[in-house]
Amino acid sequence: MKATIKTFPCNEGDCIFMKLEDTDAHTSYHIMVDCGGLTSDIVDYIVNTFNERIDLLVATHIDSDHIDGITAMLFDSRLKDLQIDKIIYNCYQNVSNGARMATPTDIVEKMDMISNIVGDDSDTHISIKTSVSLGVAIAKNDHLKNVWNKEPITEDTEPLNLGDKWGVIKFLAPTQSALDDLYSTFRKEYASVTGCRIPESPYEDWECMIELLVKLDSLRNRRFYGKKISSLLLDEGGFLDARKAETNDSSLTTANKASIAFVWECNGHRVLFLGDARCPIVAKNIQRLYGEEKQVFDAVKIAHHGSKFNTNTDFSEKVDAHTYFLTGGSETIGHDMECLSKLLFRMEHDKFHRQLRYNVETHTIQELKSDQIKELRDKYNFEIVSDINTPAYEFEY
């Protein structure tokens, strides 16, 4: 059995594929997690490697840099034969089988106004309003609606069995309170924007309104990330100071705190997918599942593009991996040295080798792989690798 993990750059966002393969039987299971923007490389991978079949599609949370590319994928003519067998995506109100009233005219006007503020996927030749709504794309397609998980996912959701050869998914986040906060945000935004209480019967574009309002709230409340600890840190003391920096996750948006995090597990092998989740919650649930001792994973997708607001010292003391994936991010979003130093700069006598695979190059990455700190990379036993210019990450299980 072989597992392959491949990531793709898509603006600031995430796009991750995991292929599980029985090479003897020539069968495989395909997992896709998030997509912030649909590129030609992503389409080619879905067509040529996944053979236009996604067995499990996970959208970790309502954020443009995680779902807009998925929405575009569902409308793309190049993927007209795409088959999706199961969808996991937390929306305020999941699939409603009851009759819906027509969208009130004044609500349509407000949705159009919000759509222009939130923006659209420039690579998609569909309306702005539709392009920002994954929920509408699912709810208006009979097949997708039927394979959409009906119940919201939380840390208490029962594990999802993928099959004897393909393993199990165990959910680590969000908490129910984080989902409740997200829904509360939606209700408040709805009343503020429309001047009305939420109707008892949802209307036709209900899911679109949900996503628009949550994204609007995220834009309005997007915190200033503050000065980055990055440039001119080419000495050991600077990196270690960054490692000691405390994490304040109060700066995360409501949508980020409601992000799904999960572990894939099979035959003693495990991969941790963190979305934009709060790492203290994830660490707590890892201990609940596996015990108090430090847990080592085959690979970890770092939370929130390496944001300093997600990864704390407690998490780095309880979780480790030979391979870390740093997906997406930019010069202003994520790639924070406070996060990366906690994962890479462990005890100098630690012989555990770590690899950081990135797919967006920033000044932080350039610094970490520069010749000036080669001695530190050797001392702390880590390497920096482009996930674009090297073969996909593989392991047997």
Side-chain angles (χ1 to χ4, degrees), residues 273-341:
F273 295 87
L274 291 173
D276 284 1
R278 297 176 60 218
C279 287
I281 299 298
V282 173
K284 178 200 73 174
N285 284 311
I286 286 175
Q287 284 193 314
R288 172 175 60 84
L289 289 174
Y290 303 112
E292 295 291 325
E293 65 274 11
K294 177 187 285 189
Q295 299 299 314
V296 178
F297 294 80
D298 292 86
V300 172
K301 180 269 170 189
I302 299 173
H304 204 183
H305 327 295
S307 165
K308 62 186 177 183
F309 300 119
N310 295 68
T311 303
N312 63 352
T313 302
D314 183 59
F315 176 83
S316 66
E317 290 175 349
K318 295 175 180 176
V319 173
D320 209 345
H322 286 292
T323 300
Y324 288 94
F325 286 92
L326 178 62
T327 58
S330 67
E331 295 294 353
T332 56
I333 303 298
H335 288 232
D336 293 324
M337 198 63 76
E338 295 94 329
C339 166
L340 301 182
S341 61

Side-chain angles (χ1 to χ4, degrees), residues 191-389:
S192 174
V193 169
T194 67
C196 306
R197 294 181 63 181
I198 293 177
E200 293 184 8
S201 299
Y203 43 73
E204 290 178 352
D205 294 318
W206 186 250
E207 290 82 7
C208 183
M209 190 60 161
I210 294 165
E211 291 180 18
L212 285 170
L213 289 177
V214 171
K215 290 180 181 183
L216 180 64
D217 176 74
S218 294
L219 285 175
R220 183 186 297 121
N221 295 295
R222 192 170 187 174
R223 272 76 171 186
F224 174 59
Y225 268 61
K227 184 177 180 181
K228 284 179 173 284
I229 300 179
S230 58
S231 59
L232 303 178
L233 273 178
L234 301 178
D235 66 86
E236 187 172 11
F239 288 118
L240 296 182
D241 285 344
R243 188 181 71 179
K244 296 174 185 175
E246 294 185 4
T247 301
N248 180 8
D249 63 9
S250 64
S251 294
L252 297 177
T253 66
T254 309
N256 291 148
K257 292 179 180 178
S259 176
I260 294 171
F262 64 93
V263 58
W264 167 86
E265 180 178 336
C266 192
N267 297 334
H269 291 266
R270 299 175 299 182
V271 178
L272 183 57
F273 295 87
L274 291 173
D276 284 1
R278 297 176 60 218
C279 287
I281 299 298
V282 173
K284 178 200 73 174
N285 284 311
I286 286 175
Q287 284 193 314
R288 172 175 60 84
L289 289 174
Y290 303 112
E292 295 291 325
E293 65 274 11
K294 177 187 285 189
Q295 299 299 314
V296 178
F297 294 80
D298 292 86
V300 172
K301 180 269 170 189
I302 299 173
H304 204 183
H305 327 295
S307 165
K308 62 186 177 183
F309 300 119
N310 295 68
T311 303
N312 63 352
T313 302
D314 183 59
F315 176 83
S316 66
E317 290 175 349
K318 295 175 180 176
V319 173
D320 209 345
H322 286 292
T323 300
Y324 288 94
F325 286 92
L326 178 62
T327 58
S330 67
E331 295 294 353
T332 56
I333 303 298
H335 288 232
D336 293 324
M337 198 63 76
E338 295 94 329
C339 166
L340 301 182
S341 61
K342 288 178 174 64
L343 302 175
L344 300 177
F345 283 84
R346 312 280 180 132
M347 297 175 61
E348 62 269 21
H349 60 266
D350 186 350
K351 299 304 180 183
F352 188 88
H353 181 74
R354 300 172 184 88
Q355 178 187 87
L356 177 69
R357 297 176 72 105
Y358 67 92
N359 61 21
V360 174
E361 185 164 297
T362 62
H363 286 114
T364 301
I365 293 298
Q366 292 172 1
E367 187 166 10
L368 285 171
K369 68 177 188 178
S370 66
D371 291 340
Q372 292 97 313
I373 69 161
K374 181 182 183 304
E375 187 174 320
L376 287 179
R377 289 197 301 272
D378 293 341
K379 179 177 180 178
Y380 289 93
N381 203 16
F382 69 88
E383 62 177 328
I384 309 296
V385 176
S386 168
D387 201 45
I388 303 172
N389 301 322

Side-chain angles (χ1 to χ4, degrees), residues 61-62 89-96 100 134-136 148-153 176 178-190 197-203 205-214 258:
H61 61 294
I62 300 177
Y89 172 49
N90 282 343
C91 203
Y92 174 78
Q93 179 173 328
N94 280 357
V95 182
S96 172
R100 297 188 177 198
L134 175 58
V136 166
W148 187 7
N149 189 72
K150 302 300 189 296
E151 297 297 326
I153 297 294
Q176 183 60 53
L179 271 188
D180 291 342
D181 287 344
L182 181 67
Y183 300 158
S184 175
T185 295
F186 165 65
R187 291 193 295 271
K188 291 176 183 176
E189 285 286 347
Y190 189 93
R197 294 181 63 181
I198 293 177
E200 293 184 8
S201 299
Y203 43 73
D205 294 318
W206 186 250
E207 290 82 7
C208 183
M209 190 60 161
I210 294 165
E211 291 180 18
L212 285 170
L213 289 177
V214 171

Side-chain angles (χ1 to χ4, degrees), residues 6-20:
K6 177 66 178 173
T7 76
F8 286 91
C10 51
N11 303 320
E12 295 176 350
D14 284 353
C15 185
I16 309 162
F17 295 95
M18 186 172 188
K19 182 178 182 180
L20 308 171

